[in-house]
């Protein structure tokens, strides 16, 4: 059974655009292979080897993108509440050890960007927060140990 990949409509649109761009590269790489092949001896043809490797990487990328698109589950943002932490919520938490307030939006793995405060739902911190309410203290098992967070607010 394929794993669902939860994302926003924007995230799915971006994946489809990436897939279209990757598919558009196929003829370019095929032409590079044909051109390198015309140069003769394939056993010592670095251009041919490089073009074949690029083709293999492109096909892997295309397969991965097709899988993500095929298994995408778009989250209906109108159905998201703020009583418990769920996907697409912005969560304000206090890191209790550091006495520091942080804010994250919990997103699907393909949309995660920690520098923009977008935390993948598959991370230990997001997993610890999901399903909890404002005022709850949760523990996240991270590589450096256990971190405690108090949920201060849940918004859209």
């Amino acid at each position: 059974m394929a794993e669902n990949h939860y994302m926003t409509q924007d995230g799915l649109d971006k994946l489809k655009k990436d897939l279209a761009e990757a598919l558009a590269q196929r003829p370019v790489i095929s032409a590079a292979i044909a051109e390198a092949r015309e140069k003769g001896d394939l056993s010592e043809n670095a251009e041919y080897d490089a073009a074949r490797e690029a083709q293999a990487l492109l096909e892997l990328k295309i397969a991965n993108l097709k899988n993500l698109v095929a298994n995408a589950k778009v989250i209906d943002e109108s159905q998201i509440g703020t009583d418990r932490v769920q996907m697409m919520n912005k969560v304000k938490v206090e890191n209790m050890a550091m006495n520091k307030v942080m804010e994250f939006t919990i997103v699907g793995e393909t949309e995660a960007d920690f520098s923009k405060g977008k935390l993948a739902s598959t991370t230990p911190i997001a997993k610890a927060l999901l399903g909890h309410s404002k005022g709850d203290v949760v523990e996240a098992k991270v590589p450096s140990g256990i971190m405690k967070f108090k949920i201060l607010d849940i918004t859209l």
Side-chain angles (χ1 to χ4, degrees), residues 26 35 42 44 58 71 86-87 90 92 111 127:
R26 276 181 167 163
E35 186 179 319
L42 296 181
E44 293 182 20
L58 178 67
N71 295 300
Q86 55 188 306
M87 294 281 292
K90 184 177 278 188
K92 186 183 279 189
E111 295 179 82
K127 283 181 180 178

Side-chain angles (χ1 to χ4, degrees), residues 74-149:
V74 175
I75 296 166
D76 181 353
E77 294 182 56
S78 69
Q79 299 297 311
I80 298 172
T82 56
D83 56 331
R84 295 192 174 279
V85 177
Q86 55 188 306
M87 294 281 292
M88 303 312 302
N89 279 148
K90 184 177 278 188
V91 185
K92 186 183 279 189
V93 297
E94 178 186 349
N95 180 327
M96 298 181 76
M98 300 170 78
N99 204 18
K100 182 179 176 189
V101 174
M102 298 182 255
E103 227 174 36
F104 306 110
T105 300
I106 299 179
V107 297
E109 207 167 336
T110 59
E111 295 179 82
D113 183 347
F114 194 75
S115 67
K116 293 181 180 170
K118 293 184 175 187
L119 189 64
S121 61
T122 54
T123 62
I125 294 171
K127 283 181 180 178
L129 294 171
L130 287 168
H132 288 276
S133 303
K134 185 175 173 179
D136 287 357
V137 174
V138 299
E139 292 184 352
K141 291 184 179 104
V142 295
S144 61
I146 292 179
M147 297 176 75
K148 284 188 179 185
F149 295 96

Side-chain angles (χ1 to χ4, degrees), residues 59-73:
E59 291 305 321
L60 180 63
K61 179 179 181 178
I62 288 170
N64 286 337
L65 287 169
K66 280 183 174 179
N67 176 50
L68 287 170
V69 169
N71 295 300
K73 297 289 180 226

